[in-house]
């Protein structure tokens, strides 16, 4: 089984100082990993269309629960792990199925709900 390290980059954005959370996998921002995947798959990359999640814009609940797939506000069986660069996760989300056990968290079955061919 492949095991990766995940951390979360939390930075303040813009003049309002909104907190933005971007997952990093093995040190690389998930936004860049998605671009690499799309290019390798022969797709036009979404590039700057993805951005981090802004907890203040949506009631995700505690972010540590959200990224474990325990968010009570997630729509359906998948959880948004990235949002749109504009700050609204609903207009261009990257969704993932998140499964957590006592010693392992798995993110898989990624999808872009507005472009089903990119799943």
């Amino acid at each position: 089984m492949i095991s990766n390290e995940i951390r979360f980059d939390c930075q303040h954005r813009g003049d309002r100082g909104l907190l933005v959370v971007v997952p990093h996998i093995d040190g690389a921002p998930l936004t860049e990993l998605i671009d690499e995947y799309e290019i390798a798959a022969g797709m036009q990359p979404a590039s700057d269309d993805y951005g981090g999640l802004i907890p203040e814009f949506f009631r995700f609940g505690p972010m540590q629960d959200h990224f474990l797939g325990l968010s009570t506000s997630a729509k359906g069986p998948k959880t948004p792990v990235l949002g749109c660069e504009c700050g609204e996760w609903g207009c261009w989300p990257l969704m993932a199925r998140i499964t957590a056990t006592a010693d392992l968290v798995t993110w898989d079955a990624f999808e872009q709900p507005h472009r089903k061919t990119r799943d």
Side-chain angles (χ1 to χ4, degrees):
M1 170 183 277
I2 297 173
S3 182
N4 301 96
E5 179 182 85
I6 187 168
R7 70 176 178 82
F8 299 91
D9 183 37
C10 302
Q11 295 187 2
H12 292 279
R13 165 183 150 172
D15 58 350
R16 291 178 49 198
L18 297 169
L19 182 69
V20 179
V21 181
V22 177
H24 285 233
I25 312 299
D26 295 335
L30 184 55
T31 51
E32 289 179 14
L33 295 172
I34 295 303
D35 280 350
E36 291 173 13
Y37 169 81
E38 290 177 338
I39 290 168
M43 300 174 192
Q44 177 67 34
S47 296
D48 294 333
D49 290 344
Y50 287 115
L53 296 178
I54 300 176
E56 189 174 333
F57 283 3
F58 193 75
R59 294 185 184 121
F60 291 112
M63 292 308 285
Q64 65 269 21
D65 289 348
H66 177 81
F67 286 116
L68 288 172
L70 303 173
S71 177
T72 57
S73 298
K75 306 291 186 204
K78 295 190 178 179
T79 301
V81 293
L82 289 176
C84 180
E85 59 82 27
C86 76
E88 171 56 52
W89 78 265
C91 69
W92 196 258
L94 180 67
M95 308 293 284
R97 179 176 57 201
I98 302 175
T99 308
T101 65
D103 52 337
L104 182 69
V105 177
T106 303
W107 288 13
D108 64 2
F110 290 90
E111 79 174 37
Q112 199 329 304
H114 302 302
R115 291 194 173 168
K116 292 293 187 182
T117 59
R118 292 183 182 229
D119 296 354

